């Protein structure tokens, strides 16, 4: 099974590109994350942002995310053939870094370390799953600050928490791209 995983910040066009690719090529989509863990309906029940940033413990949020990513990867592998994935494994790391920065009021480097701690129990499984992906990153701009601005510009309302989250998310996605976590020569804009 080949998983073509499109990652990037909000409003960059990941879902749109996946829909277009699926329609034009007939390649199946792996499905949304919240279809791969039974805890998502509870997270959505009172508002996902409230659950994500306030009600649930950070460890719970990370566990739901990691288990969802891994279950989606396993389900796509069981299905055989090629699959299109919205948000690949590096995106999980970026999401956890940004979430930890907001939830625990950490600077970027401290959030990176904290995300490493939070994901340590899943590390081997995540690395195996990522090895099965052909990862592509879409970025709004060459720099993370401009990328965050563009991601936020497409929103009707932006809370301070969401704005801070997008800034850290863009910082980490740019760092992952620079570190070669996505396929060389396939950095979209």
């Amino acid at each position: 099974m080949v998983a073509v995983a499109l990652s990037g910040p909000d409003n960059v066009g990941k879902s749109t590109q996946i829909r277009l690719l699926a329609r034009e090529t007939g390649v199946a989509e792996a499905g949304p994350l919240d279809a791969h863990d039974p805890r998502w309906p509870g997270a959505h029940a009172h508002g996902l942002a409230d659950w994500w940033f306030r009600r649930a413990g950070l460890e719970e949020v990370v566990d739901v995310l990691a288990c969802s990513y891994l279950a989606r990867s396993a389900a796509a592998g069981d299905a055989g053939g090629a699959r299109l994935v919205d948000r690949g494994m590096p995106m999980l790391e970026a999401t956890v870094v940004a979430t930890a920065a907001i939830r625990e009021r950490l600077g970027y480097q401290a959030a990176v370390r904290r995300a490493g701690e939070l994901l340590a129990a899943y590390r081997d499984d995540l690395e195996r799953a990522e090895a099965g992906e052909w990862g592509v990153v879409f970025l709004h701009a060459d720099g993370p600050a401009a990328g965050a601005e563009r991601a936020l510009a497409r929103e009707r309302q932006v809370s301070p928490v969401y704005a801070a989250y997008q800034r850290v998310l863009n910082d980490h996605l740019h760092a992952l791209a620079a570190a070669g976590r996505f396929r060389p020569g396939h950095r979209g804009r």
Side-chain angles (χ1 to χ4, degrees), residues 12-101:
V12 77
K14 300 176 301 289
S15 299
T16 300
Q17 293 303 317
I18 286 173
R19 263 192 320 277
L20 292 171
L21 284 166
R23 185 179 68 213
E24 295 299 319
T25 65
V27 174
E29 298 179 48
L33 281 176
D34 63 3
H36 296 280
D37 191 289
R39 295 172 287 178
W40 282 106
H44 285 287
H46 300 289
L48 188 58
D50 186 52
W51 173 82
W52 196 296
F53 292 111
R54 292 184 31 194
R55 279 191 309 110
L58 180 58
E59 290 80 4
E60 177 186 352
V61 172
V62 171
D63 187 61
V64 170
L65 287 167
C67 290
S68 298
Y69 269 84
L70 291 169
R72 182 179 64 180
S73 178
D78 293 343
R83 292 285 181 268
L84 297 168
V85 175
D86 188 349
R87 296 174 178 84
M89 290 297 168
M91 191 72 193
L92 169 62
E93 180 182 319
T95 300
V96 173
V97 168
T99 303

